[in-house]
Amino acid sequence: MATDLHDTIFMAKQERHKNLFLNYKNLNIFPVELLKDEGLQFLERLYMKRNSLTTLPDNLAQKLPNLIELYLHSNNIVIIPEAIGNLARLQSLDLSSNALQLLCPEIGRLRSLRHLRLSNNQLKCLPPEIGDLQELETLDVSMNQLMSLPDRLHRCLSLQNLTADHNLLSHVPRQLCWLHRLNQLSMAANRLTFLPLDLGRSRELQFVFVDNNMDLKGLPSYLYNKVIGCSGCGVSSPVLDGEQAEQPGEALSEALVRLPAEVKAVGSQTDSVVPLEELTMRTLHRIYHHRPTDFNLLPPITLPKSLLDLLQFPLGHCHRCSQAMFTIIYPKLFPLRDTALAGVHRRFPADNYSSCFILVQKIFLTQTYLLSLPFSLGRR
């Protein structure tokens, strides 16, 4: 192994390689061959994933001054030396899956850094100096022990993707709403209880993932036209396989009971928020799913073909209970009519109420017919 390593580094020096791959080399210490003499002045990308490194040398920037990308995923690095800040040209730094407990403030001196990945470490806080990274586009701090994010993070004006899943965060700093280039915000599996009401006001923010925040009761209506991951489908607890069978006529009331109040309320004609589309699809899917061969026994249903097709191909499933989900329906903290998005999201024509009641009648007609069939339906 030592001979192979020596030959690889020797060849890189001789042929002035810009990329050097030292993944899976079982390295316990940083190879001294990389730091001898003038080092590898021409090296731009160094890959050292899946080794056993515990630290980095202080003269790394001196010997590898043109380093643009440094990949150290899956090592045992406990500390990053302050000299890391001397890598003036560094654009990508991957320290995921290490043993970091602290991040030195000098990280803020990496003014060319565009991608910083710190997931799956033991970080309890981030240095405020991260806010000095004006070129930073991607920040991944998921799977740590963070209780808050730095207040100065909003100074990262180039930030496009912020991932902070699986931490201990109780709130989202309102200053993040000032990041006008932020496109994706992921804070799933934290302890969030609310989100800033103006989160999502920026047109650039298109993806917000806040799944598995059990105390999050609603979402700002500025997020109403975004791709959302919320705290589940509205079911208060997972459905158990051993529970007693229910009759088809109970399906709609069960769906209504288990949804939060914000979703159960049918929007006014001003709101144009009609969750009955989602309720219809969930109810019919639960009925059909148990006896898929009996589709031909059911009376004709004049729902749009696109909705009927969804019965067999849901758009997704709840992260908490695996229930099928068909439309983007989720709670909101205040009425849509009070925001700049009022009037934008109209799923139905002006006669909303007529459409709503037609859908409800179709559900009940279907369920009444099923009650007369010689089989009982069990809960999945």
Side-chain angles (χ1 to χ4, degrees):
M1 180 66 72
T3 303
D4 292 342
L5 177 65
H6 176 81
D7 292 343
T8 300
I9 296 177
F10 178 80
M11 185 68 69
K13 287 185 176 182
Q14 288 295 109
E15 299 183 2
R16 302 178 67 85
H17 290 174
K18 292 186 177 182
N19 303 328
L20 181 58
F21 295 87
L22 298 178
N23 301 325
Y24 300 93
K25 297 294 185 181
N26 198 29
L27 299 173
N28 294 309
I29 59 174
F30 201 87
V32 294
E33 290 88 350
L34 287 176
L35 309 174
K36 285 182 178 179
D37 304 322
E38 294 183 359
L40 279 74
Q41 301 287 321
F42 37 81
L43 193 66
E44 294 182 353
R45 297 171 183 84
L46 178 58
Y47 300 83
M48 302 186 72
K49 299 188 293 185
R50 301 284 179 180
N51 284 290
S52 300
L53 300 176
T54 57
T55 188
L56 298 176
D58 289 330
N59 61 344
L60 182 63
Q62 179 184 351
K63 297 299 182 179
L64 306 175
N66 292 310
L67 208 59
I68 294 177
E69 299 178 8
L70 178 58
Y71 298 96
L72 298 163
H73 186 287
S74 299
N75 279 276
N76 297 319
I77 298 175
V78 177
I79 188 170
I80 297 294
E82 297 177 357
I84 192 75
N86 295 328
L87 289 169
R89 299 190 60 197
L90 195 65
Q91 296 181 17
S92 293
L93 176 60
D94 189 348
L95 289 163
S96 303
S97 298
N98 278 278
L100 290 174
Q101 296 185 16
L102 291 173
L103 194 62
C104 61
E106 284 71 22
I107 200 78
R109 293 168 51 198
L110 299 174
R111 300 304 173 87
S112 299
L113 197 64
R114 297 172 58 190
H115 307 285
L116 177 59
R117 294 178 172 86
L118 301 167
S119 64
N120 196 22
N121 278 280
Q122 301 171 28
L123 296 170
K124 295 184 178 179
C125 64
L126 297 175
E129 287 76 10
I130 280 188
D132 298 332
L133 302 176
Q134 297 290 311
E135 302 298 321
L136 192 65
E137 298 176 3
T138 302
L139 176 61
D140 186 351
V141 292
S142 57
M143 299 182 69
N144 280 282
Q145 302 171 29
L146 300 175
M147 300 184 69
S148 64
L149 296 175
D151 291 336
R152 287 165 56 180
L153 190 59
H154 72 277
R155 297 184 182 181
C156 299
L157 298 179
S158 300
L159 195 61
Q160 299 176 19
N161 190 325
L162 173 57
T163 304
D165 301 336
H166 294 276
N167 278 282
L168 305 174
L169 300 171
S170 59
H171 69 284
V172 177
R174 187 173 180 272
Q175 292 91 331
L176 292 186
C177 301
W178 305 345
L179 294 173
H180 297 299
R181 295 188 182 180
L182 190 64
N183 176 261
Q184 178 170 311
L185 174 64
S186 186
M187 302 187 72
N190 276 279
R191 299 177 177 177
L192 299 178
T193 57
F194 68 95
L195 296 174
L197 294 182
D198 50 350
L199 184 66
R201 191 168 185 173
S202 169
R203 292 184 178 181
E204 291 299 319
L205 185 60
Q206 292 297 317
F207 304 90
V208 179
F209 301 100
V210 286
D211 304 274
N212 295 316
N213 283 276
M214 302 305 294
D215 295 322
L216 187 61
K217 302 301 183 184
L219 300 178
S221 57
Y222 276 116
L223 296 177
Y224 215 76
N225 63 342
K226 314 295 182 178
V227 177
I228 299 297
C230 64
S231 56
C233 64
V235 175
S236 58
S237 60
V239 177
L240 302 178
D241 292 336
E243 292 181 1
Q244 293 182 345
E246 65 177 356
Q247 296 298 321
E250 299 172 351
L252 179 61
S253 59
E254 180 73 5
L256 286 169
V257 167
R258 287 171 177 256
L259 284 172
E262 294 93 337
V263 175
K264 281 190 290 185
V266 177
S268 68
Q269 195 161 0
T270 306
D271 288 335
S272 298
V273 179
V274 186
L276 285 176
E277 178 181 337
E278 175 71 16
L279 299 181
T280 302
M281 300 308 301
R282 291 186 191 178
T283 301
L284 293 178
H285 180 266
R286 290 178 64 185
I287 295 172
Y288 289 170
H289 187 69
H290 293 288
R291 295 294 296 270
T293 59
D294 291 330
F295 270 81
N296 294 330
L297 297 178
L298 298 171
I301 300 175
T302 57
L303 290 174
K305 183 179 183 301
S306 59
L307 297 186
L308 289 174
D309 290 341
L310 283 179
L311 287 176
Q312 301 181 57
F313 304 100
L315 294 179
H317 292 79
C318 174
H319 290 271
R320 289 171 56 191
C321 70
S322 298
Q323 176 171 270
M325 301 179 74
F326 300 91
T327 62
I328 302 175
I329 296 293
Y330 48 88
K332 60 186 187 299
L333 289 178
F334 51 90
L336 185 63
R337 62 175 177 269
D338 294 341
T339 75
L341 296 175
V344 174
H345 306 282
R346 298 185 179 275
R347 295 180 177 273
F348 291 83
D351 55 338
N352 269 338
Y353 284 104
S354 298
S355 301
C356 290
F357 286 117
I358 290 173
L359 287 175
V360 174
Q361 288 173 349
K362 288 169 182 174
I363 294 175
F364 281 109
L365 286 173
T366 301
Q367 292 167 349
T368 303
Y369 179 83
L370 286 173
L371 283 173
S372 64
L373 297 179
F375 58 84
S376 60
L377 299 177
R379 301 173 74 178
R380 188 179 180 185

